[in-house]
Amino acid sequence: MTAAYHWLFVPLTLGLALVMAVMETIYVIRKDDFWKKTAQYWMKLFAINFAVGIATGIILEFEFGTNWSNYSWFVGDMFGAPLAIEGILAFFMEATFFAVMFFGWEKVSKRFHLASTWLTGIGASISAYWILVANGWMQNPVGTTFNPEAVRSEMASAQAFWEVISNPVAVSKFFHAITSGWVTGGVFVVGISCWYLLKNRQRKFARASILIGSIVGIVGSFAVMLSGDASGVHAAEFQPMKLAAAEGLNDGGRRAAFTIVPGIRIPGMLSILATHDIDGYVPGINDILNGYTDNEGNEIPSVAEKMAMGRKALVALSLYRSTDDPSEKAEARYALEENVQYMGYGHLEKPEDVIPPVGIVFWAFRFMIGLGMLMLLELLVVGWLAWKDKLTGKRWLMIAALACIPLVYICGQSGWIVAEVGRQPWTIQGLLPVNVAISSLSAGAVKTTFFLFLAIFTLFLVIEIRILIGAIKKGPETSNE
Amino acid sequence: MATVWHFYRDSFRNMTWGRPLVWLILLKVFILFAILRVFFFKPAMAGLSDEERSRVVGERLTGEHPEVGDPVPVPETYQP
């Protein structure tokens, strides 16, 4: 929930960073003050969003220590290293380039200022990468070994670190998150610009902003589709239960159909999306419960078998930590290493525990895709009409563009639900279920801290929206043509 | 260094619409670190050495789980 709240601010930061960088580039190339003022206006909205969004992520780090202490210890340096790099990088890049971007208009050269604007956006994106390296590892824990002595996951070598940072799940998540931010930024810019057109204000500014916003949003939309395709393939490979839940697929098979909505299906489409092969096998929920043979011919054990292996791992861990006999210790370590990849299954009570809330994931997936397609359509239509200068009089379209602003947030949050609710019950896929990852706190204590955070930060959100609306009403400093 | 210092100092002094945003950030950081962190988000394993943390998490991992010999329930066919 806290991460979802943080995610309210991040996409707009990423998207507006690109929009204003493109606008300033046009200013530097054309030497036209109109583009400078246009870029400055969106920079102002960027700053307001940034000011309120900044540090909402810090609360997550507090929660790791308070609510997720077992998890925090278990993940060890694997989680600490990327987050530390993110923190240091974000601080230095933002303290320098962000400051130059806001304060340096008349104090540094145009090119240096432009470089600072681009580097602010690039810095924010690189920060996101390190966060998603940590998140990607939770979805696909590669590159680490479990140390039974310390009860931690450790990166043993530089090679392991490389495996962690090049984790395919992290890479596809990164591109998916960044480019969805471009869509959010594009839809936001187009929507606000349409509001000016509805008010018959700042027409030149609004049209120019719609053109840039729609191009950024359209490029982002196609990039989201490509990265989403990669995410789908990775889900099929590393988290098949998440994909089965997102599709509501009880019984899988070859030439699996993609469900648009219940009752409307495209034969073979799911196999194509998940495996890039119409004859590719996609396991359903029951196949995963009972075991199946994957597309490489590997026999995937049933959940019951994984649970048995997980229990062996936990008993071996217990013996390893309690015995002083070297031969017993060696045997226990061997048994642990043989079964460690299923260690988390040892905590489950019954096989069905591996099924996430299917209804939530299924509908969130449909909201994400449906709203994403709607955003692309809106950007194409409004962008095209702005290009042809034919938006005048199309009030309904401008109202629709304005209404798309909340919808693009719902779209982004739906994606977050698919990714995070879809991987339940795991905190770390296959290794650590949520009920073991959490601290020994009462539910009441966790609720108290969460709702306290929610109340305080919602107050900040209300303040942001008020400042944002004030800035929008005031408008840019371009002439009111 | 002096140039950099003057750049930041003069920029903050001459801020117009950005001033309330800076106060907002400072207020938020204060709430985060001086109130939430101190009174509500105390680390659950604060004060423990690394060895003690390993023991606590190890006991949590191995303490409450079904035993190896316990039968695993046969899954029923999933029906939404």
Side-chain angles (χ1 to χ4, degrees):
Chain A
M1 290 291 284
T2 313
Y5 191 85
H6 183 53
W7 184 245
L8 282 175
F9 304 100
V10 179
L12 189 59
T13 299
L14 297 170
L16 278 185
L18 181 59
V19 168
M20 63 198 194
V22 170
M23 288 173 172
E24 192 181 338
T25 305
I26 298 173
Y27 159 63
V28 171
I29 293 169
R30 292 192 181 175
K31 299 179 179 63
D32 180 349
D33 257 14
F34 166 79
W35 284 103
K36 179 183 175 183
K37 286 173 181 165
T38 303
Q40 281 176 327
Y41 173 75
W42 293 111
M43 213 170 268
K44 187 175 180 177
L45 301 195
F46 173 90
I48 297 166
N49 178 65
F50 188 87
V52 180
I54 195 169
T56 50
I58 289 176
I59 206 86
L60 278 167
E61 303 204 16
F62 292 174
E63 287 175 349
F64 287 140
T66 306
N67 302 346
W68 301 91
S69 57
N70 297 330
Y71 161 81
S72 295
W73 181 256
F74 186 94
V75 295
D77 297 337
M78 169 41 236
F79 217 65
L83 293 188
I85 294 170
E86 189 273 334
I88 294 166
L89 195 83
F91 177 79
F92 282 108
M93 288 199 79
E94 282 157 17
T96 50
F97 300 119
F98 194 90
V100 173
M101 183 174 83
F102 278 98
F103 302 138
W105 279 104
E106 312 304 332
K107 296 174 185 168
V108 298
S109 72
K110 280 181 189 173
R111 286 180 186 278
F112 184 63
H113 191 276
L114 178 64
S116 299
T117 305
W118 276 104
L119 285 168
T120 300
I122 291 168
S125 303
I126 295 172
S127 284
Y129 186 71
W130 290 107
I131 297 290
L132 291 168
V133 162
N135 183 282
W137 183 82
M138 293 158 75
Q139 320 261 352
N140 179 34
V142 292
T144 52
T145 47
F146 179 69
N147 176 353
E149 203 73 58
V151 197
R152 306 189 90 172
S153 296
E154 292 175 347
M155 283 182 282
S157 61
Q159 170 68 20
F161 182 69
W162 172 250
E163 273 185 60
V164 169
I165 64 171
S166 62
N167 184 349
V169 175
V171 173
S172 60
K173 269 180 160 299
F174 167 72
F175 284 108
H176 204 53
I178 295 292
T179 52
S180 74
W182 297 357
V183 179
T184 304
V187 169
F188 180 83
V189 169
V190 169
I192 300 297
S193 303
C194 280
W195 182 80
Y196 284 113
L197 291 180
L198 280 167
K199 296 283 175 190
N200 206 21
R201 287 175 55 189
Q202 311 287 353
R203 298 192 65 82
K204 184 183 173 190
F205 158 85
R207 182 168 170 255
S209 296
I210 288 172
L211 286 174
I212 302 298
S214 56
I215 290 168
V216 166
I218 290 164
V219 170
S221 294
F222 284 107
V224 159
M225 287 184 209
L226 286 175
S227 54
D229 174 67
S231 285
V233 172
H234 292 147
E237 190 175 352
F238 305 118
Q239 297 174 300
M241 184 59 91
K242 181 193 282 186
L243 183 69
E247 271 304 299
L249 186 69
N250 297 341
D251 299 296
R254 300 190 182 279
R255 295 188 174 238
F258 179 81
T259 303
I260 296 175
V261 286
I264 304 176
R265 309 173 83 198
I266 307 174
M269 193 64 189
L270 181 60
S271 285
I272 294 172
L273 291 173
T275 64
H276 291 172
D277 176 3
I278 194 166
D279 290 319
Y281 177 79
V282 182
I285 292 170
N286 288 316
D287 304 306
I288 296 165
L289 288 177
N290 296 314
Y292 61 98
T293 306
D294 72 9
N295 286 299
E296 278 76 46
N298 302 312
E299 294 289 332
I300 307 297
S302 70
V303 175
E305 288 169 308
K306 290 177 184 175
M307 286 168 66
M309 288 187 272
R311 290 174 189 181
K312 281 183 189 169
L314 292 175
V315 169
L317 174 64
S318 183
L319 179 62
Y320 180 88
R321 291 184 56 77
S322 60
T323 185
D324 291 323
D325 181 336
S327 64
E328 264 189 347
K329 220 172 177 71
E331 273 181 40
R333 181 152 197 150
Y334 178 75
L336 176 62
E337 285 172 0
E338 284 288 292
N339 298 289
V340 72
Q341 64 173 316
Y342 301 117
M343 190 164 71
Y345 286 86
H347 295 285
L348 304 180
E349 295 290 334
K350 56 187 188 303
E352 289 86 345
D353 289 347
V354 298
I355 305 171
V358 175
I360 295 173
V361 183
F362 177 85
W363 283 109
F365 190 48
R366 265 130 208 94
F367 269 105
M368 178 185 76
I369 293 178
L371 289 173
M373 299 307 285
L374 183 67
M375 296 303 113
L376 176 59
L377 181 68
E378 179 246 338
L379 292 165
L380 283 168
V381 172
V382 178
W384 174 255
L385 290 173
W387 175 257
K388 291 287 175 189
D389 204 6
K390 288 182 178 172
L391 266 174
T392 310
K394 296 188 173 54
R395 285 184 65 82
W396 61 272
L397 189 60
M398 289 183 253
I399 292 168
L402 196 55
C404 280
I405 294 177
L407 294 182
V408 80
Y409 280 93
I410 296 172
C411 182
Q413 291 290 324
S414 301
W416 190 256
I417 290 169
V418 173
E420 300 304 308
V421 178
R423 73 176 156 109
Q424 299 301 313
W426 303 112
T427 310
I428 305 167
Q429 185 73 30
L431 293 180
L432 194 68
V434 169
N435 63 324
V436 184
I438 53 176
S439 309
S440 303
L441 294 172
S442 69
V446 176
K447 280 180 189 166
T448 304
T449 51
F450 174 73
F451 285 111
L452 190 69
F453 158 76
L454 192 67
I456 293 170
F457 280 79
T458 301
L459 179 67
F460 281 114
L461 183 63
V462 171
I463 295 169
E464 181 204 13
I465 292 171
R466 283 180 66 93
I467 299 174
L468 207 59
I469 289 172
I472 292 166
K473 279 185 177 169
K474 191 175 175 214
E477 289 175 9
T478 52
S479 61
N480 196 12
E481 326 173 14
Chain B
M1 281 304 288
T3 313
V4 173
W5 164 248
H6 288 138
F7 172 78
Y8 278 91
R9 189 196 62 188
D10 297 344
S11 300
F12 278 107
R13 276 184 183 166
N14 298 328
M15 263 197 303
T16 52
W17 58 267
R19 199 175 291 274
L21 294 179
V22 172
W23 282 112
L24 200 65
I25 292 171
L26 293 176
L27 176 66
K28 185 163 43 174
V29 170
F30 174 79
I31 291 171
L32 273 171
F33 286 95
I35 299 174
L36 294 183
R37 177 67 166 177
V38 174
F39 298 107
F40 296 98
F41 286 97
K42 293 174 185 168
M45 291 200 280
L48 299 185
S49 66
D50 283 358
E51 286 74 24
E52 288 168 324
R53 289 174 191 222
S54 297
R55 184 179 51 76
V56 169
V57 178
E59 283 172 5
R60 179 73 188 93
L61 283 181
T62 58
E64 297 166 30
H65 62 84
E67 291 301 320
V68 174
D70 287 355
V72 175
V74 177
E76 293 175 13
T77 300
Y78 176 74
Q79 299 275 319

